[in-house]
Amino acid sequence: MKKRTVAACVLLAATLAPVQTQVLAQERVQVTAPVQATKFNLSPARTYGVPDFAVDPEDPLHILASAVDLRTQVCGTMQSFDGGQTWEPLESSPSPDNYPLCLMTNSHTIQGKLAFGSDKRLYYALAGWDTQDAANRSVLVGRSEDMGKTWQTTIVRDTRGLTGEKQEPNRPISGFVVDTSGEQDVLYVSWRQQNRLTDPNRKPNIPVMSVSTDGGATFSEPINLVGQKFADPAVRAEALKVVVPPTPSAAPAAAASPGASPGVSPAASPNASAAASPTASASASPVAPNEGAPASPLASPSPSPRPSPSASGPPPPGSPASSPDQQVNFGGSNPSLAVDDKGTAYAAWVTSYQNIKGTTRPAHFITRTSDQGKTTEVFQITPFAKDNVNNFGGLDLVWSPQGGENGTLHLVYEGSRTPEVASEADVFYRRSTDRGQTWSEPMVVNDDDPKQLFFSGLPNLSIAPDGRLDVAWFDTRADPGITSNDVYYAHSSDNGASWSKNVRISDRSIDRRIGVFAQNFDLNGPPGIASTEAYALVAWDDTRMFDSVTQGQDIFMSAVQFEELESGTSSTLKYVLAGVIGLLVVGLLFVLLALLVRRRETAAGVRTV
Amino acid sequence: MRSQSKFVTLGAATGAAVMLFAAAAWACVAGPTLAAEPRSVPAGSSVKVSGISWNGDLPVVVRFNALDGPILGTFQPDPVSDRLDATVTIPAGTAPGNYVLIGTQQSADGKFAIIPSRALVSVEGTGGAPVLGAPLNAGAADRPVGLTESDPVSTGSLVLAGVGVAGVALFIAGAGVYFSTRRRPQPETAPVAK
């Protein structure tokens, strides 16, 4: 009997011994309920633009984000320690006192750009200006050694004091990356350099980049990313070959490029043109060609009339306006930056033109430098074609280590499946595995019905540490007819070979009759994305807390979650605790047993006595 | 001093806001708009449609609820302002629900020339109250709040762990009792007096 009891006890103990059962997380994608990230600001006038993100390299739940109030035009920062579910503002701004304003009046741009460097150093690229600057916009980069609590800011390009045709209304800051492969951080910041030249000397925008090899303490002079590409007559001929001459019956404004128009409707989709200038002086002056031009030949004329060459006679020989086929009439816009693991920097940009009559067709190029901007090489990504519907921006570039020894460059941009329909836009994707020299055929990321002619534009591209590519954009497919748009998302887990089914991120359509996304303000940008292995956090400017009187915007965010986060308490600790509790129970049993035995013995003793 | 600073900040912010919003007049407009008024009507009623940024050289065709839906009217926008102002009639017998009026412009070859613009109209049911069809802006109510944390250690496995440890402890205790009982010397039998 006793042997049987022992055997039963052994069997029971073996059966009930703690078994570590590893529950593998099944791959599933779920979208979290949106959070109002900027609810710390109670001002009824708050008008936030879309943010840029920087994920703490050592803690994927710690995220910093730019928080730019478009109404006060102040660049701020906020941070989250729980993967974007709650946010707190950081008091300090990277804007120095003498350059307090940072708004870049432009569509298709995120106003402040963040990036981590080595040793958790945080960088912030932003514009800088004051009311004294008229149209001038300077370029700044802030450095923070304490996660955004304090900033040291360097002026990358100082435009203060420039007057007349020398003014530089630089905008927007379209690219910012940090190369951490060397001993010191190398910073690359890029923007569209505009000019204030007038006829017959107007020149196109130029995509430029400035480089810091000392961790942001000093920066190089702006480097022209176009280089000598258009010195080649064959390249110019290729561009001029597809220009559609203006129709004789068209209004003067019809000379504008339809390629400048990615918008769908004024409220639901952004205007490709440069947005309202923030100051009266800047507003009154002519905006750069192609951006300031109407969104399409069908749209209303530009608000800044340009003198007609025919009215003042033919342009003087040798001037830019004297002949379209000159290198000086070819430029580019909105360079987006990426850097690979060998320290090679890449800038993708889209062409801009000047002094070319008719409807021009944009193309995308990439500039590569392996020596921090000392020398550059330029390669063509897309042909000069009408399916490139945005001739000044709407593109984003990232690099991933997957795809071979060179890694892969990934590009998203605004294209069109139906380019004959004005303002129709789609999210196009291409990739290169030979450092930008050749590119794949385009893939369309948005999966809506092309016959419905919805707008899918302002794409943003981000890459997670495990190589997953995240794309988010604004889309009108769910607009119930209230002039709204939504945020949509897709990802690729095979280095861009294929893309997932689209996921609606915003939980309700965003009413664009409210706020400054459109409505003639056109202060908009692509959705912000923070990519980690476990989730992609997607942010947008949302008007749900406002009405036609307050006209404000908040930052809202939802996460697309791929993996469950590790619980705060370790499994081992939980099992140890369970074991301790088990021992306590046994100990308690023994105590009770001992008390019972003692009581019986006492009772027996009493009876004996 | 502090109040002065606050005043300056407030003034600057207000000034900036004024400048920003005053600048709207300079911004460019892209693509057409379409709005319906009133937005909730019985079937067979008239609705005013208006919008801006249409191509003044092309007629606007207003269709009902689909790009190839019934044509409610064809109208010429103002060639100078590119503005559209028109009145259409919601088809009689339309079931209550939400619909869109779609404004389109086609070029001479019959292809769409510009992206369509849509305006919401709710067709009311009997009694005048709007009976909504598909919910507007239906939020994703079933979305989880916050990021999901993994919990590979379930409550059941923790209970098992505790019971297991308790079982082992009991086993050890029982074994100890068993062996101590076996080895305990038996009391010697008292010699029987003969």
Side-chain angles (χ1 to χ4, degrees):
Chain A
M1 179 69 183
K2 283 181 179 175
K3 282 182 181 174
R4 251 184 266 166
T5 307
V6 171
C9 284
V10 171
L11 185 64
L12 183 69
T15 307
L16 298 183
V19 180
Q20 290 257 3
T21 307
Q22 181 64 43
V23 181
L24 296 175
Q26 296 177 347
E27 185 171 336
R28 60 195 175 100
V29 175
Q30 69 178 18
V31 183
T32 63
V35 296
Q36 181 191 358
T38 46
K39 63 182 176 186
F40 52 76
N41 186 345
L42 300 178
S43 166
R46 64 186 185 277
T47 311
Y48 286 99
V50 285
D52 191 31
F53 289 115
V55 181
D56 187 334
E58 296 176 7
D59 180 4
L61 291 179
H62 182 206
I63 306 173
L64 288 111
S66 56
V68 182
D69 187 341
L70 305 176
R71 202 178 296 242
T72 58
Q73 313 186 36
V74 172
C75 273
T77 318
M78 57 186 183
Q79 68 177 340
S80 169
F81 291 97
D82 56 5
Q85 301 310 299
T86 58
W87 290 84
E88 61 182 33
L90 295 169
E91 296 301 323
S92 178
S93 170
S95 298
D97 290 343
N98 52 345
Y99 291 84
L101 306 176
C102 78
L103 181 74
M104 299 173 285
T105 48
N106 210 93
S107 70
H108 286 70
T109 191
I110 293 176
Q111 296 285 333
K113 289 187 162 46
L114 290 170
F116 270 108
S118 305
D119 303 324
K120 300 181 83 168
R121 188 177 295 116
L122 184 65
Y123 297 101
Y124 198 135
L126 68 163
W129 58 283
D130 201 350
T131 49
Q132 63 177 291
D133 287 317
N136 290 317
R137 296 292 177 270
S138 296
V139 179
L140 316 175
V141 168
R143 286 178 296 161
S144 176
E145 307 286 347
D146 54 9
M147 288 284 180
K149 293 185 180 69
T150 60
W151 294 95
Q152 285 182 295
T153 300
T154 302
I155 299 179
V156 178
R157 177 65 170 173
D158 194 356
T159 61
R160 180 156 292 171
L162 298 177
T163 57
E165 292 192 342
K166 291 185 177 176
Q167 289 183 93
E168 284 185 23
N170 296 318
R171 56 177 180 160
I173 295 171
S174 51
F176 185 47
V177 290
V178 180
D179 172 21
T180 58
S181 63
E183 289 184 0
Q184 235 182 345
D185 290 346
V186 179
L187 282 67
Y188 298 86
V189 58
S190 62
W191 67 93
R192 182 178 76 219
Q193 190 174 62
Q194 295 189 194
N195 64 75
R196 302 301 292 258
L197 298 169
T198 55
D199 283 340
N201 297 313
R202 287 180 186 269
K203 290 181 182 175
N205 301 319
I206 301 294
V208 297
M209 175 178 78
S210 192
V211 186
S212 170
T213 56
D214 54 8
T218 61
F219 281 83
S220 71
E221 286 294 307
I223 299 160
N224 184 336
L225 295 170
V226 175
Q228 294 301 308
K229 193 66 185 175
F230 292 109
D232 184 350
V235 179
R236 296 201 304 271
E238 194 185 341
L240 293 170
K241 184 173 64 180
V242 294
V243 172
V244 179
T247 53
S249 60
S257 163
S261 169
V264 181
S265 69
S269 65
N271 186 348
S273 347
S277 297
T279 65
S281 57
S283 303
S285 49
V287 292
N290 284 336
E291 288 109 34
S296 78
L298 313 175
S300 56
S302 168
S304 39
R306 62 177 73 170
S308 166
S310 59
S312 55
S319 68
S322 63
S323 167
D325 190 11
Q326 300 180 72
Q327 182 183 0
V328 71
N329 285 327
F330 293 80
S333 289
N334 291 38
S336 178
L337 297 174
V339 64
D340 68 18
D341 57 353
K342 300 178 184 69
T344 300
Y346 306 87
W349 47 274
V350 64
T351 52
S352 288
Y353 309 101
Q354 191 54 265
N355 298 310
I356 297 174
K357 304 289 187 294
T359 302
T360 56
R361 305 297 191 192
H364 296 87
F365 286 81
I366 191 164
T367 303
R368 182 175 77 190
T369 177
S370 301
D371 53 10
Q372 297 156 351
K374 295 182 185 71
T375 60
T376 59
E377 301 167 277
V378 183
F379 306 100
Q380 191 161 356
I381 302 173
T382 65
F384 296 91
K386 63 180 180 179
D387 60 356
N388 300 324
V389 295
N390 191 322
N391 73 348
F392 81 101
L395 68 160
D396 200 16
L397 179 75
V398 301
W399 178 87
S400 72
Q402 289 81 11
E405 59 178 337
N406 297 317
T408 307
L409 286 163
H410 308 268
L411 177 75
V412 291
Y413 60 99
E414 286 183 353
S416 178
R417 290 172 289 184
T418 51
E420 68 277 10
V421 180
S423 297
E424 201 278 333
D426 299 292
V427 178
F428 278 27
Y429 164 82
R430 292 180 190 247
R431 63 177 176 172
S432 168
T433 54
D434 57 4
R435 305 173 71 224
Q437 289 180 230
T438 60
W439 290 79
S440 65
E441 287 298 306
M443 294 173 63
V444 181
V445 178
N446 50 294
D447 60 8
D448 59 312
D449 179 4
K451 292 178 184 171
Q452 295 299 318
L453 301 172
F454 295 122
F455 172 86
S456 305
L458 287 99
N460 197 1
L461 176 62
S462 179
I463 184 165
D466 60 358
R468 187 194 68 243
L469 294 163
D470 299 316
V471 175
W473 67 94
F474 285 103
D475 199 301
T476 63
R477 76 180 78 171
D479 174 26
I482 58 168
T483 324
S484 64
N485 57 21
D486 278 271
V487 179
Y488 274 75
Y489 165 90
H491 72 276
S492 172
S493 299
D494 54 11
N495 204 37
S498 63
W499 289 88
S500 71
K501 186 182 174 192
N502 295 178
V503 176
R504 187 187 185 195
I505 299 294
S506 46
D507 63 326
R508 61 172 77 175
S509 297
I510 309 154
D511 190 341
R512 295 306 185 188
R513 296 169 297 185
I514 299 169
V516 297
F517 185 97
Q519 295 207 95
N520 284 1
F521 294 105
D522 308 320
L523 294 173
N524 52 58
I529 311 174
S531 297
T532 74
E533 290 186 12
Y535 64 91
L537 186 66
V538 182
W540 67 94
D541 44 354
D542 199 294
T543 61
R544 72 182 68 183
M545 309 297 286
F546 301 91
D547 55 30
S548 58
V549 176
T550 51
Q551 295 283 353
Q553 296 180 171
D554 272 309
I555 296 173
F556 271 68
M557 303 179 185
S558 278
V560 184
Q561 191 166 3
F562 294 88
E563 299 170 9
E564 293 176 329
L565 303 176
E566 284 188 10
S567 177
T569 311
S570 75
S571 304
T572 310
L573 184 60
K574 283 182 177 176
Y575 281 121
V576 169
L577 284 172
V580 168
I581 291 170
L583 285 174
L584 283 173
V585 170
V586 171
L588 190 63
L589 280 174
F590 280 133
V591 168
L592 288 173
L593 197 62
L595 286 173
L596 191 65
V597 169
R598 191 174 176 181
R599 194 173 167 186
R600 281 187 178 176
E601 286 176 353
T602 308
V606 169
R607 277 199 300 271
T608 304
V609 171
Chain B
M1 185 66 182
R2 179 175 285 182
S3 62
Q4 190 181 4
S5 172
K6 277 184 181 174
F7 178 77
V8 170
T9 306
L10 186 64
T14 307
V18 168
M19 283 189 293
L20 170 63
F21 285 89
W26 293 99
C28 303
V29 175
T33 66
L34 194 67
E37 184 64 33
R39 284 172 57 179
S40 183
V41 294
S45 301
S46 295
V47 172
K48 288 182 179 177
V49 290
S50 59
I52 59 172
S53 301
W54 293 93
N55 181 354
D57 297 331
L58 296 175
V60 176
V61 178
V62 179
R63 292 177 179 267
F64 189 66
N65 213 39
L67 282 174
D68 58 354
I71 295 176
L72 302 184
T74 301
F75 310 97
Q76 189 64 42
D78 186 289
V80 177
S81 66
D82 295 332
R83 181 179 173 84
L84 172 72
D85 285 294
T87 301
V88 298
T89 301
I90 303 301
T94 302
N98 292 323
Y99 299 89
V100 285
L101 305 179
I102 306 177
T104 63
Q105 286 189 309
Q106 291 168 305
S107 48
D109 59 4
K111 294 181 179 176
F112 288 112
I114 193 166
I115 198 162
S117 190
R118 296 166 170 84
L120 171 70
V121 167
S122 297
V123 175
E124 299 171 356
T126 53
V131 179
L132 300 183
L136 286 176
N137 268 327
D142 55 344
R143 290 186 183 183
V145 176
L147 295 165
T148 306
E149 289 190 355
S150 65
D151 194 7
V153 186
S154 65
T155 308
S157 61
L158 285 175
V159 170
L160 283 176
V163 172
V165 170
V168 169
L170 281 172
F171 170 73
I172 292 170
V177 170
Y178 171 74
F179 286 113
S180 65
T181 305
R182 280 193 69 179
R183 288 175 187 170
R184 187 180 296 168
Q186 296 296 316
E188 291 182 8
T189 309
V192 179
K194 293 182 178 176

